[in-house]
Amino acid sequence: MDLEQCRRLKDVHPDSNIIELKFAITSKVCRSLDGNPETCNWKEFLVKASEFRPIYNISTLDVNHFARSNSPSETMLWRLGSYGMVAFELVHLLDQLRLESLLMDIKEYEPIVIIKQPPSHKSINEGTALHLHTEGKGFPYPRYQWFKSISGKWEKLRAETNHIFKIVNARQPDAGIYCCRLHNGNHRHQVIFSSRTSVSVIPPMQEERDVILYDVRSFRDGEENTESTDTSAKKAMPESPRFEARTKVALLIGNADYLADKPLFDVPLADVRLMKSTFEDLGFQVFSYLDLTKTEMKSTIDWFIDVVKKMGKDVYVVFCFFGHGFEESRKCYLVPTDAAHGYTTSDCICADDVLYKFQRHIDPALLVMALDTCRIRNSNEKSIRQFAKSQAFDSLNEPATNGNTVVLYSTSRGMSAYQNNQNGFLAKFFNQRIKQKTDVTSVMQNVLEDMGKEMKKYKENQTPQFTSSLNEPRSFYDIIRPCSEITKAYDNINAVFSPPPSREVFVPGANIKLYIECQADTLNMMTVYINTRTLKECDTIALDDIDIFVETFSPNFKIHSIDMVSGRGKFEIKNIQKLRDDLLLKINVRNKKTNDLIGDVDINLMKPLISTLDLWRNK
């Protein structure tokens, strides 16, 4: 938003000092800035403030003093208020951090204005990437949804909710007319459409090879025989190979909420989200999970193998794990979330066994495994001899070496792996290099070099490593050979594992309607968004006075609610793979001021996402 828009506030004068703002507003700002990640917390707010006006520059000594207080954000706001910061400047800085939920209490509605339209026509060659870009400004921030005209009807494109629409490997069926819907509310006047784009996909032409002809002339006694003109000896130089994949699939697992080990907080989830987005950009079909037990990990891997082996040959497979792990007898073990205190190899999943299963049952054209775990010895193991007698996959052989495998470790044998507050180092640098149009081995080498420069301060503890048996220069960027059978198979999978459809429910006692939308973060975790609307004919309570609490009658679930802001809120549902029956929710609507129950409504979300597979069963 520009500064003029930041001055259009509700119930607040734009030039009033931030110290004079309502306590409800400042306390919510403080709670958010104190708990937000580094990219949008109180320290980043200070950076933006000093860039905006030099007078708001705070010394390092004062910043350290703020950090030691009970609420660094509260101390910071008082200091900035004493320097003269006013309300519209606070709004401008919160807008810089894109903290929409905080702005909802103070900022007036701004209709959407499209500032970038996609082109009216775009022609691309088959096999190249298609990018359509539109962008709008307004408040609340615009939401995007792309559509394609199919048989005269506009069909919503699943999961295409970014301002940039991308197809990595465009094919003939991708030609057509596209359009994007932008909206920042539920009313008709809050919706706007971008201009339409007609996309043409040009089929590949028969390439005219540059044939290099050369004469094989005979030599006699060291002298060239110039009379020899045997044209039958003219040959063409060989053409370099070009690889295509029948399909590309990735299985991502991040474990953070451990029963016995120290929690890894949100870093594995952030790693899974980061790599999921990147692999999808490269044309991979991604299956991602968070916080799996041993039984669930084994069931997930077995199901993944069953699905992929039906795809045929020339499949690219990627397996990534982010979480706790260790190494014993030169084998890596992945720790599931339910591993008890004193866990040993028998309580964990052997990564070498997973590799062996992929080789034996799928035999992919390219197999990449990335493990972001420690590789130190497990102190709970009694001895190598007793390990050899354990039942931890002893019946399995060493992984086959088929000239198709690359394994990337975040650290070397006997060393630990580290993370920052946002991502593990492996995911950070792997993500930066994976889109290179070069062979996988070169990508891994670049990852090692990048991590080596960053990890100098951890040199004694963490040194990344990779092994490769790849005998062909295959790349993550290799194009996918179109196949209608595989497309239909993925459509069926996505239809089964899709989140529950959006719905609108009426809460009689509260005289309001709740618009409920579910979005999948991983296949076993989803975020539920609630948007509240009062009915005009029975408007008895203001949206700002409404609080919503969510209960579930299904065990093994964690529901994390947040405060409602102007009738909007969200909560997360994790561990969906543990669901044995339909997911039943009770939504209670309360009055914030009196805490009285105004009304409630029961919702049945059925068995969403991966819960239909019953991964909790010990098969």
Side-chain angles (χ1 to χ4, degrees):
M1 292 183 286
D2 56 38
L3 291 180
E4 184 59 35
Q5 291 176 319
C6 292
R7 296 185 65 88
R8 293 197 280 268
L9 309 180
K10 53 185 179 183
D11 301 328
V12 175
H13 193 280
D15 294 318
S16 59
N17 192 287
I18 60 174
I19 298 177
E20 301 172 356
L21 294 177
K22 294 179 180 179
F23 174 75
I25 295 175
T26 55
S27 62
K28 186 174 293 185
V29 171
C30 291
R31 287 198 307 271
S32 179
L33 293 179
D34 283 342
N36 282 350
E38 289 182 351
T39 55
C40 54
N41 66 358
W42 64 275
K43 289 185 178 180
E44 188 63 20
F45 183 92
L46 275 176
V47 172
K48 299 292 185 183
S50 62
E51 293 174 352
F52 178 56
R53 294 199 195 283
I55 193 177
Y56 298 143
N57 188 33
I58 306 294
S59 67
T60 304
L61 184 64
D62 285 340
V63 171
N64 293 335
H65 170 69
F66 294 168
R68 290 192 295 270
S69 63
N70 291 332
S71 174
S73 299
E74 183 179 1
T75 309
M76 174 194 69
L77 290 181
W78 274 100
R79 176 68 62 84
L80 293 174
S82 68
Y83 288 173
M85 181 175 285
V86 294
F88 87 88
E89 294 176 326
L90 174 66
V91 169
H92 172 68
L93 296 174
L94 294 176
D95 175 58
Q96 294 288 301
L97 300 179
R98 306 294 287 181
L99 296 176
E100 181 186 55
S101 61
L102 298 180
L103 293 171
M104 296 295 292
D105 285 340
I106 189 172
K107 179 72 184 77
E108 285 186 352
Y109 174 80
E110 296 282 349
I112 297 176
V113 176
I114 296 180
I115 58 178
K116 184 176 180 61
Q117 292 277 15
S120 59
H121 184 78
K122 192 176 184 70
S123 296
I124 58 172
N125 293 323
E126 185 172 2
T128 60
L130 168 65
H131 285 191
L132 299 179
H133 184 188
T134 188
E135 190 172 349
K137 66 177 183 178
F139 188 83
Y141 301 134
R143 273 61 172 174
Y144 300 87
Q145 176 62 61
W146 287 89
F147 291 81
K148 182 181 180 182
S149 178
I150 301 177
S151 300
K153 295 182 179 180
W154 289 103
E155 299 289 342
K156 182 187 295 185
L157 298 177
R158 180 181 177 80
E160 297 298 343
T161 55
N162 198 294
H163 67 287
I164 299 178
F165 172 68
K166 294 182 288 188
I167 298 178
V168 178
N169 299 305
R171 297 295 179 183
Q172 286 294 315
D174 295 321
I177 301 176
Y178 293 84
C179 181
C180 184
R181 181 187 68 197
L182 294 78
H183 69 95
N184 61 353
N186 293 320
H187 300 290
R188 186 177 296 275
H189 71 276
Q190 297 171 320
V191 179
I192 190 171
F193 289 87
S194 72
S195 59
R196 301 178 183 183
T197 301
S198 176
V199 175
S200 301
V201 180
I202 303 173
M205 298 179 62
Q206 187 66 31
E207 298 181 359
E208 296 182 5
R209 299 181 180 179
D210 294 332
V211 180
I212 303 176
L213 301 178
Y214 58 95
D215 291 337
V216 180
R217 300 178 184 272
S218 62
F219 288 80
R220 183 177 301 166
D221 298 330
E223 296 181 358
E224 182 180 359
N225 181 5
T226 58
E227 297 179 357
S228 176
T229 58
D230 185 7
T231 57
S232 64
K234 293 182 179 181
K235 298 183 179 179
M237 296 296 289
E239 187 184 44
S240 60
R242 180 185 180 187
F243 298 102
E244 290 185 350
R246 182 173 174 85
T247 187
K248 299 190 286 190
V249 290
L251 174 61
L252 314 180
I253 298 176
N255 283 350
D257 190 10
Y258 282 93
L259 174 67
D261 224 324
K262 62 181 181 180
L264 297 176
F265 303 105
D266 292 332
V267 173
L269 174 59
D271 289 347
V272 167
R273 283 174 172 167
L274 179 67
M275 300 310 301
K276 178 177 183 290
S277 175
T278 301
F279 279 121
E280 286 178 343
D281 287 346
L282 291 169
F284 280 77
Q285 179 77 19
V286 180
F287 303 92
S288 57
Y289 302 85
L290 185 69
D291 290 332
L292 299 183
T293 65
K294 180 183 178 182
T295 298
E296 292 163 356
M297 286 181 68
K298 292 179 68 175
S299 299
T300 297
I301 292 169
D302 290 343
W303 173 84
F304 178 78
I305 290 173
D306 287 341
V307 169
V308 178
K309 70 181 181 182
K310 299 175 183 177
M311 304 294 182
K313 299 294 183 180
D314 296 328
V315 175
Y316 288 14
V317 175
V318 173
F319 173 74
C320 296
F321 178 81
F322 308 95
H324 284 304
F326 62 90
E327 187 157 323
E328 193 68 39
S329 296
R330 304 180 70 84
K331 290 186 177 181
C332 283
Y333 288 86
L334 316 178
V335 182
T337 56
D338 63 338
H341 288 281
Y343 58 77
T344 62
T345 52
S346 60
D347 303 309
C348 303
I349 299 293
C350 179
D352 296 73
D353 173 56
V354 177
L355 193 65
Y356 172 77
K357 285 184 174 181
F358 285 158
Q359 292 282 26
R360 179 181 178 184
H361 298 292
I362 302 176
D363 190 21
L366 174 65
L367 174 58
V368 176
M369 178 178 284
L371 304 177
D372 192 0
T373 68
C374 295
R375 296 180 68 188
I376 57 178
R377 287 285 305 276
N378 183 11
S379 59
N380 299 319
E381 295 294 336
K382 295 180 180 179
S383 69
I384 295 179
R385 288 185 178 181
Q386 288 183 337
F387 161 75
K389 296 179 181 180
S390 74
Q391 298 178 355
F393 308 107
D394 282 337
S395 61
L396 298 175
N397 301 319
E398 291 292 323
T401 303
N402 297 339
N404 63 350
T405 305
V406 178
V407 182
L408 175 63
Y409 302 94
S410 63
T411 190
S412 297
R413 183 171 289 117
M415 294 184 176
S416 299
Y418 296 91
Q419 63 190 31
N420 58 26
N421 293 331
Q422 297 177 349
N423 290 103
F425 290 115
L426 182 75
K428 174 184 176 181
F429 292 103
F430 192 22
N431 178 70
Q432 290 176 359
R433 290 289 187 174
I434 194 172
K435 290 187 178 181
Q436 289 181 317
K437 294 183 179 180
T438 183
D439 63 278
V440 173
T441 306
S442 299
V443 170
M444 300 304 182
Q445 185 60 46
N446 290 331
V447 171
L448 262 61
E449 292 174 2
D450 292 346
M451 287 186 67
K453 295 175 183 177
E454 178 76 11
M455 302 303 299
K456 286 182 179 179
K457 54 185 175 181
Y458 302 107
K459 189 173 182 180
E460 295 181 359
N461 297 318
Q462 182 169 359
T463 303
Q465 180 184 21
F466 83 92
T467 62
S468 174
S469 66
L470 201 62
N471 55 20
E472 294 176 326
R474 293 185 180 267
S475 166
F476 292 115
Y477 225 97
D478 289 341
I479 64 174
I480 297 175
R481 185 168 61 251
C483 176
S484 59
E485 295 178 0
I486 291 180
T487 302
K488 187 178 295 184
Y490 284 148
D491 288 342
N492 293 335
I493 292 173
N494 291 332
V496 173
F497 297 154
S498 61
S502 302
R503 65 189 68 191
E504 194 172 56
V505 296
F506 175 63
V507 185
N511 293 323
I512 63 172
K513 280 187 177 181
L514 302 178
Y515 183 75
I516 300 173
E517 182 177 0
C518 302
Q519 290 187 5
D521 293 303
T522 65
L523 283 178
N524 66 332
M525 172 183 171
M526 69 181 180
T527 301
V528 180
Y529 295 87
I530 298 180
N531 188 11
T532 309
R533 289 190 289 176
T534 57
L535 302 182
K536 292 182 179 180
E537 63 271 16
C538 48
D539 189 2
T540 58
I541 187 170
L543 291 180
D544 289 338
D545 295 333
I546 288 177
D547 227 346
I548 290 182
F549 298 87
V550 182
E551 301 177 80
T552 177
F553 304 105
S554 304
N556 303 316
F557 285 98
K558 297 179 180 179
I559 293 182
H560 303 277
S561 298
I562 66 170
D563 293 335
M564 298 295 293
V565 179
S566 297
R568 298 185 180 190
K570 68 177 181 179
F571 60 91
E572 293 177 343
I573 302 179
K574 298 183 177 180
N575 297 327
I576 289 177
Q577 76 280 2
K578 301 182 186 300
L579 191 65
R580 304 193 178 194
D581 300 304
D582 289 353
L583 178 57
L584 304 175
L585 300 180
K586 176 181 283 294
I587 299 181
N588 300 311
V589 181
R590 294 183 177 273
N591 188 313
K592 280 185 180 180
K593 297 179 179 178
T594 63
N595 202 32
D596 293 334
L597 180 66
I598 304 173
D600 58 56
V601 63
D602 294 333
I603 298 177
N604 186 349
L605 297 182
M606 308 300 286
K607 295 188 71 175
L609 305 180
I610 203 67
S611 61
T612 54
L613 292 184
D614 294 338
L615 298 178
W616 49 269
R617 295 184 185 274
N618 193 342
K619 302 176 183 178

